[in-house]
PDB file of all heavy atoms in Angstrom:
ATOM      1  N   GLN A 106      47.648 -19.060  -6.191  1.00  0.00           N
ATOM      2  CA  GLN A 106      48.254 -20.305  -6.656  1.00  0.00           C
ATOM      3  C   GLN A 106      48.363 -21.307  -5.514  1.00  0.00           C
ATOM      4  O   GLN A 106      48.133 -22.508  -5.691  1.00  0.00           O
ATOM      5  CB  GLN A 106      49.631 -20.011  -7.248  1.00  0.00           C
ATOM      6  CG  GLN A 106      50.241 -21.177  -7.999  1.00  0.00           C
ATOM      7  CD  GLN A 106      51.565 -20.813  -8.613  1.00  0.00           C
ATOM      8  OE1 GLN A 106      52.400 -20.138  -7.999  1.00  0.00           O
ATOM      9  NE2 GLN A 106      51.793 -21.257  -9.841  1.00  0.00           N
ATOM     10  N   ASN A 107      48.685 -20.828  -4.325  1.00  0.00           N
ATOM     11  CA  ASN A 107      48.790 -21.686  -3.150  1.00  0.00           C
ATOM     12  C   ASN A 107      47.433 -22.276  -2.770  1.00  0.00           C
ATOM     13  O   ASN A 107      47.312 -23.465  -2.454  1.00  0.00           O
ATOM     14  CB  ASN A 107      49.369 -20.903  -1.986  1.00  0.00           C
ATOM     15  CG  ASN A 107      49.631 -21.728  -0.754  1.00  0.00           C
ATOM     16  OD1 ASN A 107      49.593 -21.221   0.361  1.00  0.00           O
ATOM     17  ND2 ASN A 107      49.906 -23.010  -0.916  1.00  0.00           N
ATOM     18  N   VAL A 108      46.390 -21.446  -2.813  1.00  0.00           N
ATOM     19  CA  VAL A 108      45.043 -21.900  -2.475  1.00  0.00           C
ATOM     20  C   VAL A 108      44.579 -22.974  -3.463  1.00  0.00           C
ATOM     21  O   VAL A 108      44.026 -24.011  -3.072  1.00  0.00           O
ATOM     22  CB  VAL A 108      44.066 -20.708  -2.466  1.00  0.00           C
ATOM     23  CG1 VAL A 108      42.630 -21.191  -2.283  1.00  0.00           C
ATOM     24  CG2 VAL A 108      44.430 -19.727  -1.358  1.00  0.00           C
ATOM     25  N   VAL A 109      44.811 -22.734  -4.750  1.00  0.00           N
ATOM     26  CA  VAL A 109      44.402 -23.691  -5.775  1.00  0.00           C
ATOM     27  C   VAL A 109      45.191 -24.988  -5.647  1.00  0.00           C
ATOM     28  O   VAL A 109      44.625 -26.091  -5.748  1.00  0.00           O
ATOM     29  CB  VAL A 109      44.569 -23.085  -7.184  1.00  0.00           C
ATOM     30  CG1 VAL A 109      44.325 -24.132  -8.258  1.00  0.00           C
ATOM     31  CG2 VAL A 109      43.625 -21.902  -7.366  1.00  0.00           C
ATOM     32  N   ASN A 110      46.492 -24.890  -5.406  1.00  0.00           N
ATOM     33  CA  ASN A 110      47.321 -26.085  -5.247  1.00  0.00           C
ATOM     34  C   ASN A 110      46.824 -26.948  -4.090  1.00  0.00           C
ATOM     35  O   ASN A 110      46.750 -28.173  -4.204  1.00  0.00           O
ATOM     36  CB  ASN A 110      48.775 -25.690  -5.012  1.00  0.00           C
ATOM     37  CG  ASN A 110      49.678 -26.887  -4.805  1.00  0.00           C
ATOM     38  OD1 ASN A 110      49.887 -27.701  -5.686  1.00  0.00           O
ATOM     39  ND2 ASN A 110      50.219 -27.000  -3.605  1.00  0.00           N
ATOM     40  N   GLU A 111      46.445 -26.311  -2.987  1.00  0.00           N
ATOM     41  CA  GLU A 111      45.920 -27.045  -1.831  1.00  0.00           C
ATOM     42  C   GLU A 111      44.652 -27.806  -2.208  1.00  0.00           C
ATOM     43  O   GLU A 111      44.487 -28.976  -1.853  1.00  0.00           O
ATOM     44  CB  GLU A 111      45.635 -26.070  -0.687  1.00  0.00           C
ATOM     45  CG  GLU A 111      45.153 -26.715   0.592  1.00  0.00           C
ATOM     46  CD  GLU A 111      46.269 -27.373   1.380  1.00  0.00           C
ATOM     47  OE1 GLU A 111      47.449 -27.157   1.056  1.00  0.00           O
ATOM     48  OE2 GLU A 111      45.952 -28.118   2.323  1.00  0.00           O
ATOM     49  N   GLN A 112      43.753 -27.147  -2.932  1.00  0.00           N
ATOM     50  CA  GLN A 112      42.501 -27.786  -3.319  1.00  0.00           C
ATOM     51  C   GLN A 112      42.740 -28.952  -4.270  1.00  0.00           C
ATOM     52  O   GLN A 112      42.090 -29.999  -4.166  1.00  0.00           O
ATOM     53  CB  GLN A 112      41.562 -26.767  -3.963  1.00  0.00           C
ATOM     54  CG  GLN A 112      40.154 -27.293  -4.173  1.00  0.00           C
ATOM     55  CD  GLN A 112      39.475 -27.651  -2.872  1.00  0.00           C
ATOM     56  OE1 GLN A 112      39.405 -26.830  -1.960  1.00  0.00           O
ATOM     57  NE2 GLN A 112      38.966 -28.874  -2.761  1.00  0.00           N
ATOM     58  N   VAL A 113      43.669 -28.784  -5.191  1.00  0.00           N
ATOM     59  CA  VAL A 113      44.005 -29.861  -6.125  1.00  0.00           C
ATOM     60  C   VAL A 113      44.490 -31.089  -5.363  1.00  0.00           C
ATOM     61  O   VAL A 113      44.108 -32.226  -5.668  1.00  0.00           O
ATOM     62  CB  VAL A 113      45.067 -29.393  -7.143  1.00  0.00           C
ATOM     63  CG1 VAL A 113      45.676 -30.580  -7.881  1.00  0.00           C
ATOM     64  CG2 VAL A 113      44.448 -28.426  -8.141  1.00  0.00           C
ATOM     65  N   ARG A 114      45.334 -30.879  -4.361  1.00  0.00           N
ATOM     66  CA  ARG A 114      45.858 -32.017  -3.582  1.00  0.00           C
ATOM     67  C   ARG A 114      44.735 -32.728  -2.824  1.00  0.00           C
ATOM     68  O   ARG A 114      44.704 -33.966  -2.761  1.00  0.00           O
ATOM     69  CB  ARG A 114      46.928 -31.537  -2.599  1.00  0.00           C
ATOM     70  CG  ARG A 114      48.047 -30.733  -3.216  1.00  0.00           C
ATOM     71  CD  ARG A 114      48.926 -31.552  -4.133  1.00  0.00           C
ATOM     72  NE  ARG A 114      49.983 -30.737  -4.712  1.00  0.00           N
ATOM     73  CZ  ARG A 114      51.201 -31.167  -4.988  1.00  0.00           C
ATOM     74  NH1 ARG A 114      51.524 -32.432  -4.763  1.00  0.00           N
ATOM     75  NH2 ARG A 114      52.106 -30.361  -5.517  1.00  0.00           N
ATOM     76  N   LEU A 115      43.821 -31.957  -2.243  1.00  0.00           N
ATOM     77  CA  LEU A 115      42.702 -32.575  -1.527  1.00  0.00           C
ATOM     78  C   LEU A 115      41.772 -33.315  -2.493  1.00  0.00           C
ATOM     79  O   LEU A 115      41.322 -34.427  -2.205  1.00  0.00           O
ATOM     80  CB  LEU A 115      41.919 -31.501  -0.769  1.00  0.00           C
ATOM     81  CG  LEU A 115      42.655 -30.835   0.401  1.00  0.00           C
ATOM     82  CD1 LEU A 115      41.854 -29.669   0.941  1.00  0.00           C
ATOM     83  CD2 LEU A 115      42.945 -31.841   1.513  1.00  0.00           C
ATOM     84  N   ASP A 116      41.510 -32.699  -3.639  1.00  0.00           N
ATOM     85  CA  ASP A 116      40.648 -33.352  -4.623  1.00  0.00           C
ATOM     86  C   ASP A 116      41.259 -34.654  -5.124  1.00  0.00           C
ATOM     87  O   ASP A 116      40.543 -35.618  -5.425  1.00  0.00           O
ATOM     88  CB  ASP A 116      40.406 -32.411  -5.807  1.00  0.00           C
ATOM     89  CG  ASP A 116      39.464 -31.271  -5.453  1.00  0.00           C
ATOM     90  OD1 ASP A 116      38.893 -31.290  -4.352  1.00  0.00           O
ATOM     91  OD2 ASP A 116      39.301 -30.350  -6.294  1.00  0.00           O
ATOM     92  N   GLU A 117      42.579 -34.692  -5.206  1.00  0.00           N
ATOM     93  CA  GLU A 117      43.263 -35.890  -5.683  1.00  0.00           C
ATOM     94  C   GLU A 117      43.010 -37.073  -4.746  1.00  0.00           C
ATOM     95  O   GLU A 117      42.916 -38.223  -5.186  1.00  0.00           O
ATOM     96  CB  GLU A 117      44.763 -35.620  -5.815  1.00  0.00           C
ATOM     97  CG  GLU A 117      45.595 -36.795  -6.284  1.00  0.00           C
ATOM     98  CD  GLU A 117      45.242 -37.263  -7.684  1.00  0.00           C
ATOM     99  OE1 GLU A 117      44.611 -36.490  -8.453  1.00  0.00           O
ATOM    100  OE2 GLU A 117      45.588 -38.402  -8.024  1.00  0.00           O
ATOM    101  N   LEU A 118      42.884 -36.803  -3.448  1.00  0.00           N
ATOM    102  CA  LEU A 118      42.590 -37.873  -2.492  1.00  0.00           C
ATOM    103  C   LEU A 118      41.244 -38.519  -2.824  1.00  0.00           C
ATOM    104  O   LEU A 118      41.098 -39.739  -2.768  1.00  0.00           O
ATOM    105  CB  LEU A 118      42.566 -37.322  -1.063  1.00  0.00           C
ATOM    106  CG  LEU A 118      43.824 -36.622  -0.552  1.00  0.00           C
ATOM    107  CD1 LEU A 118      43.659 -36.258   0.917  1.00  0.00           C
ATOM    108  CD2 LEU A 118      45.060 -37.480  -0.754  1.00  0.00           C
ATOM    109  N   PHE A 119      40.254 -37.696  -3.151  1.00  0.00           N
ATOM    110  CA  PHE A 119      38.927 -38.220  -3.518  1.00  0.00           C
ATOM    111  C   PHE A 119      39.017 -39.046  -4.796  1.00  0.00           C
ATOM    112  O   PHE A 119      38.463 -40.141  -4.882  1.00  0.00           O
ATOM    113  CB  PHE A 119      37.946 -37.064  -3.721  1.00  0.00           C
ATOM    114  CG  PHE A 119      37.376 -36.509  -2.445  1.00  0.00           C
ATOM    115  CD1 PHE A 119      38.145 -35.775  -1.575  1.00  0.00           C
ATOM    116  CD2 PHE A 119      36.044 -36.728  -2.116  1.00  0.00           C
ATOM    117  CE1 PHE A 119      37.623 -35.261  -0.402  1.00  0.00           C
ATOM    118  CE2 PHE A 119      35.506 -36.228  -0.951  1.00  0.00           C
ATOM    119  CZ  PHE A 119      36.300 -35.486  -0.082  1.00  0.00           C
ATOM    120  N   ARG A 120      39.700 -38.499  -5.790  1.00  0.00           N
ATOM    121  CA  ARG A 120      39.763 -39.190  -7.087  1.00  0.00           C
ATOM    122  C   ARG A 120      40.464 -40.534  -6.968  1.00  0.00           C
ATOM    123  O   ARG A 120      40.082 -41.496  -7.637  1.00  0.00           O
ATOM    124  CB  ARG A 120      40.469 -38.299  -8.110  1.00  0.00           C
ATOM    125  CG  ARG A 120      39.667 -37.063  -8.491  1.00  0.00           C
ATOM    126  CD  ARG A 120      40.242 -36.365  -9.717  1.00  0.00           C
ATOM    127  NE  ARG A 120      39.411 -35.230 -10.101  1.00  0.00           N
ATOM    128  CZ  ARG A 120      39.665 -33.970  -9.756  1.00  0.00           C
ATOM    129  NH1 ARG A 120      40.747 -33.692  -9.030  1.00  0.00           N
ATOM    130  NH2 ARG A 120      38.879 -32.990 -10.142  1.00  0.00           N
ATOM    131  N   ARG A 121      41.493 -40.603  -6.141  1.00  0.00           N
ATOM    132  CA  ARG A 121      42.198 -41.876  -5.956  1.00  0.00           C
ATOM    133  C   ARG A 121      41.296 -42.926  -5.325  1.00  0.00           C
ATOM    134  O   ARG A 121      41.558 -44.118  -5.427  1.00  0.00           O
ATOM    135  CB  ARG A 121      43.456 -41.669  -5.112  1.00  0.00           C
ATOM    136  CG  ARG A 121      44.584 -40.985  -5.854  1.00  0.00           C
ATOM    137  CD  ARG A 121      45.842 -40.885  -5.033  1.00  0.00           C
ATOM    138  NE  ARG A 121      46.382 -42.173  -4.642  1.00  0.00           N
ATOM    139  CZ  ARG A 121      47.545 -42.331  -4.016  1.00  0.00           C
ATOM    140  NH1 ARG A 121      48.295 -41.268  -3.740  1.00  0.00           N
ATOM    141  NH2 ARG A 121      47.962 -43.523  -3.676  1.00  0.00           N
ATOM    142  N   CYS A 122      40.225 -42.476  -4.677  1.00  0.00           N
ATOM    143  CA  CYS A 122      39.280 -43.403  -4.054  1.00  0.00           C
ATOM    144  C   CYS A 122      38.022 -43.590  -4.906  1.00  0.00           C
ATOM    145  O   CYS A 122      37.018 -44.145  -4.442  1.00  0.00           O
ATOM    146  CB  CYS A 122      38.900 -42.901  -2.665  1.00  0.00           C
ATOM    147  SG  CYS A 122      40.293 -42.838  -1.516  1.00  0.00           S
ATOM    148  N   GLY A 123      38.075 -43.090  -6.150  1.00  0.00           N
ATOM    149  CA  GLY A 123      36.965 -43.295  -7.071  1.00  0.00           C
ATOM    150  C   GLY A 123      35.779 -42.379  -6.865  1.00  0.00           C
ATOM    151  O   GLY A 123      34.661 -42.697  -7.306  1.00  0.00           O
ATOM    152  N   ILE A 124      35.970 -41.232  -6.209  1.00  0.00           N
ATOM    153  CA  ILE A 124      34.871 -40.302  -5.946  1.00  0.00           C
ATOM    154  C   ILE A 124      35.189 -38.950  -6.582  1.00  0.00           C
ATOM    155  O   ILE A 124      36.302 -38.433  -6.452  1.00  0.00           O
ATOM    156  CB  ILE A 124      34.645 -40.150  -4.426  1.00  0.00           C
ATOM    157  CG1 ILE A 124      34.104 -41.467  -3.851  1.00  0.00           C
ATOM    158  CG2 ILE A 124      33.699 -39.004  -4.118  1.00  0.00           C
ATOM    159  CD1 ILE A 124      33.912 -41.451  -2.365  1.00  0.00           C
ATOM    160  N   ASP A 125      34.210 -38.385  -7.286  1.00  0.00           N
ATOM    161  CA  ASP A 125      34.377 -37.087  -7.921  1.00  0.00           C
ATOM    162  C   ASP A 125      34.262 -35.994  -6.859  1.00  0.00           C
ATOM    163  O   ASP A 125      33.195 -35.821  -6.256  1.00  0.00           O
ATOM    164  CB  ASP A 125      33.297 -36.884  -8.988  1.00  0.00           C
ATOM    165  CG  ASP A 125      33.472 -35.592  -9.775  1.00  0.00           C
ATOM    166  OD1 ASP A 125      34.222 -34.704  -9.326  1.00  0.00           O
ATOM    167  OD2 ASP A 125      32.856 -35.473 -10.845  1.00  0.00           O
ATOM    168  N   PRO A 126      35.339 -35.225  -6.601  1.00  0.00           N
ATOM    169  CA  PRO A 126      35.287 -34.218  -5.538  1.00  0.00           C
ATOM    170  C   PRO A 126      34.360 -33.050  -5.855  1.00  0.00           C
ATOM    171  O   PRO A 126      33.922 -32.348  -4.941  1.00  0.00           O
ATOM    172  CB  PRO A 126      36.741 -33.750  -5.436  1.00  0.00           C
ATOM    173  CG  PRO A 126      37.309 -33.996  -6.792  1.00  0.00           C
ATOM    174  CD  PRO A 126      36.648 -35.252  -7.276  1.00  0.00           C
TER     175      PRO A 126
END
Side-chain angles (χ1 to χ4, degrees):
Q106 191 177 42
N107 185 208
V108 173
V109 172
N110 179 65
E111 183 77 11
Q112 190 62 54
V113 166
R114 307 292 180 146
L115 293 172
D116 287 352
E117 179 63 19
L118 302 185
F119 279 71
R120 291 193 177 97
R121 286 184 61 174
C122 297
I124 292 177
D125 185 344

